[in-house]
Amino acid sequence: MTRKIGKGVEANGPVRGRAQTGRPLTYDPTSGQNWRTGVVIVPDMAEKAITAAGATGLSFAGLVNELIKRMPVDQNGRPVWADELDEQKALPLTG
């Protein structure tokens, strides 16, 4: 069974790439412990990540940490590119 990255819920559960409701994060960054997480990476993104990590001499975790460190966010901590993911888009003007 494969699921597509996207919006909405399929009959067999939430679509990969979207936040799951009812499963709040339990990790506490103030604990000083590393956060060990399991993520699902779709094949196209896995290939891109593996190539990028190899080309930079980083592990996958090292690549992800570096990407997060360099990710621009607004004053609320929201990535500046996040508006591109919003479902509500302005309709094109006609006339």
mmCIF file of all heavy atoms in Angstrom, residues 47-95:
data_model
loop_
_atom_site.group_PDB
_atom_site.id
_atom_site.type_symbol
_atom_site.label_atom_id
_atom_site.label_comp_id
_atom_site.label_asym_id
_atom_site.label_seq_id
_atom_site.Cartn_x
_atom_site.Cartn_y
_atom_site.Cartn_z
ATOM 1 N N GLU A 47 16.188 9.798 -2.270
ATOM 2 C CA GLU A 47 17.290 9.859 -3.233
ATOM 3 C C GLU A 47 17.993 11.215 -3.157
ATOM 4 O O GLU A 47 19.223 11.288 -3.132
ATOM 5 C CB GLU A 47 16.769 9.612 -4.643
ATOM 6 C CG GLU A 47 17.858 9.642 -5.693
ATOM 7 C CD GLU A 47 17.332 9.376 -7.089
ATOM 8 O OE1 GLU A 47 16.107 9.350 -7.310
ATOM 9 O OE2 GLU A 47 18.181 9.212 -7.974
ATOM 10 N N LYS A 48 17.213 12.272 -3.080
ATOM 11 C CA LYS A 48 17.777 13.623 -2.990
ATOM 12 C C LYS A 48 18.581 13.795 -1.703
ATOM 13 O O LYS A 48 19.687 14.338 -1.701
ATOM 14 C CB LYS A 48 16.642 14.652 -3.058
ATOM 15 C CG LYS A 48 17.092 16.077 -3.162
ATOM 16 C CD LYS A 48 15.886 16.989 -3.370
ATOM 17 C CE LYS A 48 16.302 18.422 -3.582
ATOM 18 N NZ LYS A 48 15.137 19.293 -3.810
ATOM 19 N N ALA A 49 18.041 13.302 -0.597
ATOM 20 C CA ALA A 49 18.714 13.431 0.701
ATOM 21 C C ALA A 49 19.992 12.595 0.750
ATOM 22 O O ALA A 49 21.018 13.052 1.259
ATOM 23 C CB ALA A 49 17.768 13.021 1.829
ATOM 24 N N ILE A 50 19.939 11.380 0.229
ATOM 25 C CA ILE A 50 21.119 10.514 0.225
ATOM 26 C C ILE A 50 22.229 11.132 -0.612
ATOM 27 O O ILE A 50 23.396 11.159 -0.206
ATOM 28 C CB ILE A 50 20.745 9.101 -0.285
ATOM 29 C CG1 ILE A 50 19.859 8.401 0.749
ATOM 30 C CG2 ILE A 50 21.985 8.286 -0.605
ATOM 31 C CD1 ILE A 50 19.147 7.168 0.212
ATOM 32 N N THR A 51 21.870 11.653 -1.770
ATOM 33 C CA THR A 51 22.855 12.304 -2.639
ATOM 34 C C THR A 51 23.447 13.532 -1.963
ATOM 35 O O THR A 51 24.671 13.722 -1.958
ATOM 36 C CB THR A 51 22.207 12.695 -3.986
ATOM 37 O OG1 THR A 51 21.703 11.506 -4.610
ATOM 38 C CG2 THR A 51 23.204 13.363 -4.904
ATOM 39 N N ALA A 52 22.590 14.367 -1.371
ATOM 40 C CA ALA A 52 23.065 15.590 -0.704
ATOM 41 C C ALA A 52 23.958 15.267 0.484
ATOM 42 O O ALA A 52 24.997 15.905 0.679
ATOM 43 C CB ALA A 52 21.869 16.437 -0.265
ATOM 44 N N ALA A 53 23.559 14.287 1.283
ATOM 45 C CA ALA A 53 24.370 13.909 2.445
ATOM 46 C C ALA A 53 25.731 13.400 1.992
ATOM 47 O O ALA A 53 26.768 13.800 2.533
ATOM 48 C CB ALA A 53 23.646 12.848 3.283
ATOM 49 N N GLY A 54 25.738 12.547 0.986
ATOM 50 C CA GLY A 54 26.995 12.012 0.485
ATOM 51 C C GLY A 54 27.899 13.081 -0.092
ATOM 52 O O GLY A 54 29.117 13.072 0.125
ATOM 53 N N ALA A 55 27.299 14.015 -0.812
ATOM 54 C CA ALA A 55 28.077 15.079 -1.446
ATOM 55 C C ALA A 55 28.672 16.053 -0.429
ATOM 56 O O ALA A 55 29.667 16.720 -0.712
ATOM 57 C CB ALA A 55 27.202 15.834 -2.449
ATOM 58 N N THR A 56 28.063 16.139 0.747
ATOM 59 C CA THR A 56 28.565 17.050 1.787
ATOM 60 C C THR A 56 29.376 16.335 2.850
ATOM 61 O O THR A 56 29.917 16.970 3.749
ATOM 62 C CB THR A 56 27.389 17.781 2.481
ATOM 63 O OG1 THR A 56 26.497 16.812 3.021
ATOM 64 C CG2 THR A 56 26.644 18.690 1.522
ATOM 65 N N GLY A 57 29.422 14.999 2.774
ATOM 66 C CA GLY A 57 30.150 14.230 3.777
ATOM 67 C C GLY A 57 29.412 14.125 5.101
ATOM 68 O O GLY A 57 30.020 13.847 6.132
ATOM 69 N N LEU A 58 28.096 14.333 5.070
ATOM 70 C CA LEU A 58 27.279 14.259 6.280
ATOM 71 C C LEU A 58 26.483 12.968 6.298
ATOM 72 O O LEU A 58 26.202 12.383 5.251
ATOM 73 C CB LEU A 58 26.303 15.438 6.347
ATOM 74 C CG LEU A 58 26.901 16.835 6.475
ATOM 75 C CD1 LEU A 58 25.813 17.888 6.280
ATOM 76 C CD2 LEU A 58 27.562 16.990 7.832
ATOM 77 N N SER A 59 26.085 12.552 7.478
ATOM 78 C CA SER A 59 25.100 11.483 7.602
ATOM 79 C C SER A 59 23.734 12.091 7.295
ATOM 80 O O SER A 59 23.587 13.317 7.188
ATOM 81 C CB SER A 59 25.092 10.938 9.029
ATOM 82 O OG SER A 59 24.658 11.954 9.931
ATOM 83 N N PHE A 60 22.712 11.235 7.196
ATOM 84 C CA PHE A 60 21.364 11.761 6.983
ATOM 85 C C PHE A 60 20.964 12.658 8.152
ATOM 86 O O PHE A 60 20.450 13.760 7.954
ATOM 87 C CB PHE A 60 20.348 10.628 6.812
ATOM 88 C CG PHE A 60 18.939 11.123 6.675
ATOM 89 C CD1 PHE A 60 18.522 11.762 5.527
ATOM 90 C CD2 PHE A 60 18.041 10.991 7.722
ATOM 91 C CE1 PHE A 60 17.225 12.249 5.397
ATOM 92 C CE2 PHE A 60 16.744 11.467 7.612
ATOM 93 C CZ PHE A 60 16.341 12.094 6.449
ATOM 94 N N ALA A 61 21.239 12.212 9.370
ATOM 95 C CA ALA A 61 20.901 13.025 10.554
ATOM 96 C C ALA A 61 21.665 14.349 10.536
ATOM 97 O O ALA A 61 21.112 15.397 10.873
ATOM 98 C CB ALA A 61 21.197 12.256 11.836
ATOM 99 N N GLY A 62 22.929 14.295 10.138
ATOM 100 C CA GLY A 62 23.717 15.520 10.054
ATOM 101 C C GLY A 62 23.147 16.483 9.031
ATOM 102 O O GLY A 62 23.088 17.693 9.252
ATOM 103 N N LEU A 63 22.701 15.934 7.885
ATOM 104 C CA LEU A 63 22.084 16.762 6.853
ATOM 105 C C LEU A 63 20.811 17.415 7.377
ATOM 106 O O LEU A 63 20.602 18.619 7.219
ATOM 107 C CB LEU A 63 21.778 15.915 5.619
ATOM 108 C CG LEU A 63 21.048 16.636 4.487
ATOM 109 C CD1 LEU A 63 21.965 17.646 3.816
ATOM 110 C CD2 LEU A 63 20.513 15.633 3.485
ATOM 111 N N VAL A 64 19.949 16.628 8.021
ATOM 112 C CA VAL A 64 18.689 17.159 8.547
ATOM 113 C C VAL A 64 18.960 18.243 9.594
ATOM 114 O O VAL A 64 18.336 19.310 9.580
ATOM 115 C CB VAL A 64 17.802 16.032 9.123
ATOM 116 C CG1 VAL A 64 16.594 16.597 9.863
ATOM 117 C CG2 VAL A 64 17.357 15.092 8.006
ATOM 118 N N ASN A 65 19.902 18.002 10.495
ATOM 119 C CA ASN A 65 20.241 19.012 11.501
ATOM 120 C C ASN A 65 20.736 20.300 10.844
ATOM 121 O O ASN A 65 20.367 21.404 11.271
ATOM 122 C CB ASN A 65 21.289 18.471 12.478
ATOM 123 C CG ASN A 65 20.657 17.628 13.555
ATOM 124 O OD1 ASN A 65 19.927 18.116 14.397
ATOM 125 N ND2 ASN A 65 20.939 16.350 13.512
ATOM 126 N N GLU A 66 21.568 20.175 9.822
ATOM 127 C CA GLU A 66 22.095 21.360 9.132
ATOM 128 C C GLU A 66 20.985 22.102 8.394
ATOM 129 O O GLU A 66 20.932 23.336 8.417
ATOM 130 C CB GLU A 66 23.202 20.953 8.160
ATOM 131 C CG GLU A 66 24.010 22.108 7.633
ATOM 132 C CD GLU A 66 24.806 22.855 8.696
ATOM 133 O OE1 GLU A 66 25.210 22.250 9.705
ATOM 134 O OE2 GLU A 66 25.016 24.084 8.511
ATOM 135 N N LEU A 67 20.088 21.369 7.756
ATOM 136 C CA LEU A 67 18.960 22.003 7.063
ATOM 137 C C LEU A 67 18.062 22.756 8.040
ATOM 138 O O LEU A 67 17.617 23.878 7.767
ATOM 139 C CB LEU A 67 18.152 20.963 6.283
ATOM 140 C CG LEU A 67 18.846 20.363 5.071
ATOM 141 C CD1 LEU A 67 18.045 19.174 4.524
ATOM 142 C CD2 LEU A 67 19.064 21.408 3.996
ATOM 143 N N ILE A 68 17.790 22.139 9.188
ATOM 144 C CA ILE A 68 16.946 22.802 10.194
ATOM 145 C C ILE A 68 17.645 24.044 10.736
ATOM 146 O O ILE A 68 17.022 25.099 10.912
ATOM 147 C CB ILE A 68 16.564 21.820 11.321
ATOM 148 C CG1 ILE A 68 15.654 20.723 10.764
ATOM 149 C CG2 ILE A 68 15.897 22.553 12.487
ATOM 150 C CD1 ILE A 68 15.432 19.562 11.702
ATOM 151 N N LYS A 69 18.944 23.933 10.980
ATOM 152 C CA LYS A 69 19.700 25.085 11.482
ATOM 153 C C LYS A 69 19.612 26.272 10.511
ATOM 154 O O LYS A 69 19.484 27.418 10.935
ATOM 155 C CB LYS A 69 21.162 24.688 11.691
ATOM 156 C CG LYS A 69 22.047 25.815 12.203
ATOM 157 C CD LYS A 69 23.429 25.319 12.569
ATOM 158 C CE LYS A 69 24.287 25.203 11.337
ATOM 159 N NZ LYS A 69 25.689 24.854 11.650
ATOM 160 N N ARG A 70 19.630 25.974 9.219
ATOM 161 C CA ARG A 70 19.641 27.028 8.200
ATOM 162 C C ARG A 70 18.250 27.439 7.722
ATOM 163 O O ARG A 70 18.125 28.350 6.902
ATOM 164 C CB ARG A 70 20.453 26.560 6.996
ATOM 165 C CG ARG A 70 21.908 26.362 7.318
ATOM 166 C CD ARG A 70 22.620 25.655 6.181
ATOM 167 N NE ARG A 70 24.008 25.447 6.474
ATOM 168 C CZ ARG A 70 25.000 26.192 5.963
ATOM 169 N NH1 ARG A 70 24.732 27.176 5.140
ATOM 170 N NH2 ARG A 70 26.245 25.931 6.290
ATOM 171 N N MET A 71 17.198 26.804 8.213
ATOM 172 C CA MET A 71 15.836 27.078 7.759
ATOM 173 C C MET A 71 15.360 28.443 8.274
ATOM 174 O O MET A 71 15.267 28.658 9.481
ATOM 175 C CB MET A 71 14.883 25.993 8.276
ATOM 176 C CG MET A 71 13.439 26.207 7.892
ATOM 177 S SD MET A 71 12.346 24.851 8.404
ATOM 178 C CE MET A 71 12.660 24.746 10.162
ATOM 179 N N PRO A 72 15.054 29.364 7.360
ATOM 180 C CA PRO A 72 14.545 30.658 7.821
ATOM 181 C C PRO A 72 13.113 30.527 8.352
ATOM 182 O O PRO A 72 12.289 29.846 7.751
ATOM 183 C CB PRO A 72 14.588 31.533 6.576
ATOM 184 C CG PRO A 72 14.678 30.608 5.416
ATOM 185 C CD PRO A 72 15.213 29.304 5.921
ATOM 186 N N VAL A 73 12.861 31.150 9.508
ATOM 187 C CA VAL A 73 11.531 31.147 10.107
ATOM 188 C C VAL A 73 11.115 32.585 10.428
ATOM 189 O O VAL A 73 11.954 33.462 10.579
ATOM 190 C CB VAL A 73 11.490 30.285 11.403
ATOM 191 C CG1 VAL A 73 11.769 28.827 11.076
ATOM 192 C CG2 VAL A 73 12.456 30.792 12.441
ATOM 193 N N ASP A 74 9.803 32.799 10.532
ATOM 194 C CA ASP A 74 9.317 34.131 10.892
ATOM 195 C C ASP A 74 9.342 34.300 12.412
ATOM 196 O O ASP A 74 9.821 33.420 13.134
ATOM 197 C CB ASP A 74 7.926 34.383 10.299
ATOM 198 C CG ASP A 74 6.826 33.492 10.862
ATOM 199 O OD1 ASP A 74 7.022 32.857 11.932
ATOM 200 O OD2 ASP A 74 5.754 33.426 10.243
ATOM 201 N N GLN A 75 8.808 35.398 12.905
ATOM 202 C CA GLN A 75 8.852 35.699 14.338
ATOM 203 C C GLN A 75 8.057 34.704 15.180
ATOM 204 O O GLN A 75 8.260 34.601 16.386
ATOM 205 C CB GLN A 75 8.373 37.133 14.615
ATOM 206 C CG GLN A 75 6.913 37.386 14.302
ATOM 207 C CD GLN A 75 6.631 37.739 12.849
ATOM 208 O OE1 GLN A 75 7.494 37.625 11.987
ATOM 209 N NE2 GLN A 75 5.409 38.172 12.577
ATOM 210 N N ASN A 76 7.188 33.910 14.544
ATOM 211 C CA ASN A 76 6.411 32.890 15.256
ATOM 212 C C ASN A 76 7.032 31.499 15.151
ATOM 213 O O ASN A 76 6.462 30.533 15.644
ATOM 214 C CB ASN A 76 4.983 32.844 14.712
ATOM 215 C CG ASN A 76 4.260 34.152 14.933
ATOM 216 O OD1 ASN A 76 4.290 34.708 16.023
ATOM 217 N ND2 ASN A 76 3.641 34.664 13.889
ATOM 218 N N GLY A 77 8.171 31.390 14.471
ATOM 219 C CA GLY A 77 8.821 30.103 14.308
ATOM 220 C C GLY A 77 8.321 29.311 13.110
ATOM 221 O O GLY A 77 8.726 28.174 12.896
ATOM 222 N N ARG A 78 7.438 29.897 12.330
ATOM 223 C CA ARG A 78 6.884 29.236 11.136
ATOM 224 C C ARG A 78 7.862 29.404 9.976
ATOM 225 O O ARG A 78 8.318 30.511 9.703
ATOM 226 C CB ARG A 78 5.545 29.869 10.793
ATOM 227 C CG ARG A 78 4.823 29.271 9.610
ATOM 228 C CD ARG A 78 3.458 29.972 9.448
ATOM 229 N NE ARG A 78 2.864 29.740 8.162
ATOM 230 C CZ ARG A 78 1.979 28.775 7.904
ATOM 231 N NH1 ARG A 78 1.610 27.968 8.871
ATOM 232 N NH2 ARG A 78 1.466 28.630 6.705
ATOM 233 N N PRO A 79 8.189 28.318 9.265
ATOM 234 C CA PRO A 79 9.079 28.459 8.115
ATOM 235 C C PRO A 79 8.517 29.472 7.114
ATOM 236 O O PRO A 79 7.306 29.511 6.881
ATOM 237 C CB PRO A 79 9.102 27.063 7.501
ATOM 238 C CG PRO A 79 8.752 26.150 8.634
ATOM 239 C CD PRO A 79 7.784 26.927 9.486
ATOM 240 N N VAL A 80 9.390 30.278 6.538
ATOM 241 C CA VAL A 80 8.917 31.340 5.638
ATOM 242 C C VAL A 80 8.252 30.777 4.387
ATOM 243 O O VAL A 80 7.445 31.457 3.765
ATOM 244 C CB VAL A 80 10.046 32.316 5.268
ATOM 245 C CG1 VAL A 80 10.557 33.055 6.501
ATOM 246 C CG2 VAL A 80 11.188 31.609 4.565
ATOM 247 N N TRP A 81 8.534 29.541 4.029
ATOM 248 C CA TRP A 81 7.925 28.922 2.853
ATOM 249 C C TRP A 81 6.588 28.247 3.156
ATOM 250 O O TRP A 81 5.925 27.736 2.251
ATOM 251 C CB TRP A 81 8.869 27.890 2.229
ATOM 252 C CG TRP A 81 9.481 26.952 3.215
ATOM 253 C CD1 TRP A 81 10.730 27.043 3.741
ATOM 254 C CD2 TRP A 81 8.878 25.806 3.830
ATOM 255 N NE1 TRP A 81 10.946 26.016 4.639
ATOM 256 C CE2 TRP A 81 9.825 25.241 4.712
ATOM 257 C CE3 TRP A 81 7.639 25.190 3.715
ATOM 258 C CZ2 TRP A 81 9.570 24.097 5.463
ATOM 259 C CZ3 TRP A 81 7.378 24.054 4.474
ATOM 260 C CH2 TRP A 81 8.336 23.524 5.334
ATOM 261 N N ALA A 82 6.154 28.244 4.399
ATOM 262 C CA ALA A 82 4.966 27.479 4.800
ATOM 263 C C ALA A 82 3.677 27.956 4.136
ATOM 264 O O ALA A 82 2.755 27.162 3.952
ATOM 265 C CB ALA A 82 4.810 27.492 6.318
ATOM 266 N N ASP A 83 3.609 29.223 3.769
ATOM 267 C CA ASP A 83 2.394 29.714 3.121
ATOM 268 C C ASP A 83 2.123 28.992 1.801
ATOM 269 O O ASP A 83 0.982 28.898 1.369
ATOM 270 C CB ASP A 83 2.468 31.218 2.877
ATOM 271 C CG ASP A 83 2.323 32.008 4.170
ATOM 272 O OD1 ASP A 83 1.812 31.445 5.160
ATOM 273 O OD2 ASP A 83 2.734 33.177 4.183
ATOM 274 N N GLU A 84 3.168 28.462 1.183
ATOM 275 C CA GLU A 84 2.990 27.715 -0.063
ATOM 276 C C GLU A 84 2.193 26.434 0.166
ATOM 277 O O GLU A 84 1.664 25.863 -0.778
ATOM 278 C CB GLU A 84 4.349 27.359 -0.661
ATOM 279 C CG GLU A 84 5.169 28.552 -1.050
ATOM 280 C CD GLU A 84 6.593 28.175 -1.440
ATOM 281 O OE1 GLU A 84 6.834 26.984 -1.751
ATOM 282 O OE2 GLU A 84 7.447 29.061 -1.430
ATOM 283 N N LEU A 85 2.100 25.966 1.411
ATOM 284 C CA LEU A 85 1.389 24.731 1.724
ATOM 285 C C LEU A 85 -0.072 24.963 2.065
ATOM 286 O O LEU A 85 -0.837 24.006 2.152
ATOM 287 C CB LEU A 85 2.056 24.032 2.919
ATOM 288 C CG LEU A 85 3.522 23.669 2.762
ATOM 289 C CD1 LEU A 85 4.049 23.073 4.060
ATOM 290 C CD2 LEU A 85 3.715 22.713 1.607
ATOM 291 N N ASP A 86 -0.474 26.221 2.278
ATOM 292 C CA ASP A 86 -1.842 26.511 2.695
ATOM 293 C C ASP A 86 -2.844 26.125 1.618
ATOM 294 O O ASP A 86 -2.639 26.367 0.434
ATOM 295 C CB ASP A 86 -2.013 27.994 3.041
ATOM 296 C CG ASP A 86 -1.324 28.359 4.341
ATOM 297 O OD1 ASP A 86 -1.017 27.439 5.132
ATOM 298 O OD2 ASP A 86 -1.084 29.553 4.561
ATOM 299 N N GLU A 87 -3.943 25.513 2.050
ATOM 300 C CA GLU A 87 -4.988 25.095 1.121
ATOM 301 C C GLU A 87 -5.710 26.281 0.508
ATOM 302 O O GLU A 87 -6.100 26.247 -0.636
ATOM 303 C CB GLU A 87 -6.008 24.221 1.843
ATOM 304 C CG GLU A 87 -5.486 22.858 2.205
ATOM 305 C CD GLU A 87 -6.566 21.978 2.795
ATOM 306 O OE1 GLU A 87 -7.667 21.940 2.227
ATOM 307 O OE2 GLU A 87 -6.305 21.352 3.829
ATOM 308 N N GLN A 88 -5.943 27.320 1.305
ATOM 309 C CA GLN A 88 -6.691 28.475 0.814
ATOM 310 C C GLN A 88 -5.776 29.360 -0.015
ATOM 311 O O GLN A 88 -4.846 29.963 0.482
ATOM 312 C CB GLN A 88 -7.258 29.275 1.998
ATOM 313 C CG GLN A 88 -8.260 28.516 2.826
ATOM 314 C CD GLN A 88 -9.544 28.242 2.059
ATOM 315 O OE1 GLN A 88 -9.954 29.047 1.228
ATOM 316 N NE2 GLN A 88 -10.160 27.107 2.334
ATOM 317 N N LYS A 89 -6.045 29.451 -1.284
ATOM 318 C CA LYS A 89 -5.283 30.288 -2.199
ATOM 319 C C LYS A 89 -6.201 31.376 -2.729
ATOM 320 O O LYS A 89 -7.396 31.175 -2.899
ATOM 321 C CB LYS A 89 -4.728 29.481 -3.371
ATOM 322 C CG LYS A 89 -3.817 28.355 -2.972
ATOM 323 C CD LYS A 89 -2.461 28.892 -2.631
ATOM 324 C CE LYS A 89 -1.526 27.725 -2.333
ATOM 325 N NZ LYS A 89 -0.324 28.098 -1.722
ATOM 326 N N ALA A 90 -5.608 32.525 -3.009
ATOM 327 C CA ALA A 90 -6.400 33.598 -3.614
ATOM 328 C C ALA A 90 -6.804 33.183 -5.027
ATOM 329 O O ALA A 90 -6.016 32.612 -5.767
ATOM 330 C CB ALA A 90 -5.581 34.880 -3.644
ATOM 331 N N LEU A 91 -8.038 33.440 -5.386
ATOM 332 C CA LEU A 91 -8.494 33.143 -6.722
ATOM 333 C C LEU A 91 -7.937 34.170 -7.700
ATOM 334 O O LEU A 91 -7.793 35.345 -7.364
ATOM 335 C CB LEU A 91 -10.024 33.153 -6.771
ATOM 336 C CG LEU A 91 -10.732 32.096 -5.940
ATOM 337 C CD1 LEU A 91 -12.230 32.295 -5.965
ATOM 338 C CD2 LEU A 91 -10.375 30.703 -6.443
ATOM 339 N N PRO A 92 -7.620 33.749 -8.922
ATOM 340 C CA PRO A 92 -7.100 34.717 -9.899
ATOM 341 C C PRO A 92 -8.178 35.726 -10.264
ATOM 342 O O PRO A 92 -9.356 35.399 -10.330
ATOM 343 C CB PRO A 92 -6.718 33.854 -11.100
ATOM 344 C CG PRO A 92 -7.426 32.561 -10.908
ATOM 345 C CD PRO A 92 -7.688 32.416 -9.440
ATOM 346 N N LEU A 93 -7.748 36.960 -10.464
ATOM 347 C CA LEU A 93 -8.669 38.020 -10.857
ATOM 348 C C LEU A 93 -8.964 37.901 -12.351
ATOM 349 O O LEU A 93 -8.072 37.635 -13.155
ATOM 350 C CB LEU A 93 -8.082 39.388 -10.565
ATOM 351 C CG LEU A 93 -7.804 39.657 -9.067
ATOM 352 C CD1 LEU A 93 -7.105 40.993 -8.916
ATOM 353 C CD2 LEU A 93 -9.106 39.656 -8.292
ATOM 354 N N THR A 94 -10.226 38.079 -12.709
ATOM 355 C CA THR A 94 -10.602 38.036 -14.134
ATOM 356 C C THR A 94 -11.211 39.380 -14.497
ATOM 357 O O THR A 94 -11.679 40.124 -13.642
ATOM 358 C CB THR A 94 -11.626 36.929 -14.413
ATOM 359 O OG1 THR A 94 -12.802 37.158 -13.635
ATOM 360 C CG2 THR A 94 -11.046 35.560 -14.080
ATOM 361 N N GLY A 95 -11.228 39.644 -15.751
ATOM 362 C CA GLY A 95 -11.929 40.850 -16.141
ATOM 363 C C GLY A 95 -11.141 41.667 -17.011
ATOM 364 O O GLY A 95 -10.916 42.561 -17.495
#
